[in-house]
Amino acid sequence: MKREQIINKIKEVTARLTAAEIEVCTCHDIYPKCWAESTHGSFRTPAMRPTELLAYVNGMAAALNKYVSTE
């Protein structure tokens, strides 16, 4: 899966976790790490590689009994 597709999946899963608008940010200084953050600061994930971040948010969704992406 390409980086852009992974980031879109992260946005899809995080949208189910919180009602806040989520933005996936990338850090060029520590490339290829990224994180998800709401515009109001109520939701933020740790900085991880995109595939690790997708697994992290899928784990959060599973813990909350929400839909989990299988891709």
Side-chain angles (χ1 to χ4, degrees):
M1 197 181 303
K2 291 188 175 188
R3 181 182 176 87
E4 184 178 318
Q5 293 171 315
I6 295 170
I7 290 173
N8 288 336
K9 283 288 184 188
I10 293 168
K11 287 181 182 180
E12 180 183 314
V13 175
T14 54
R16 293 185 180 97
L17 295 174
T18 181
E21 185 176 326
I22 299 296
E23 184 63 36
V24 177
C25 308
T26 58
C27 183
H28 299 289
D29 295 336
I30 53 174
Y31 181 84
K33 293 192 176 180
C34 63
W35 66 95
E37 182 174 11
S38 72
T39 54
H40 301 291
S42 60
F43 180 87
R44 183 172 178 146
T45 65
M48 300 177 176
R49 291 190 169 141
T51 52
E52 294 171 336
L53 184 56
L54 180 57
Y56 179 83
V57 295
N58 276 333
M60 289 173 57
L64 296 171
N65 294 322
K66 305 281 183 174
Y67 168 83
V68 177
S69 173
T70 56
E71 294 180 28

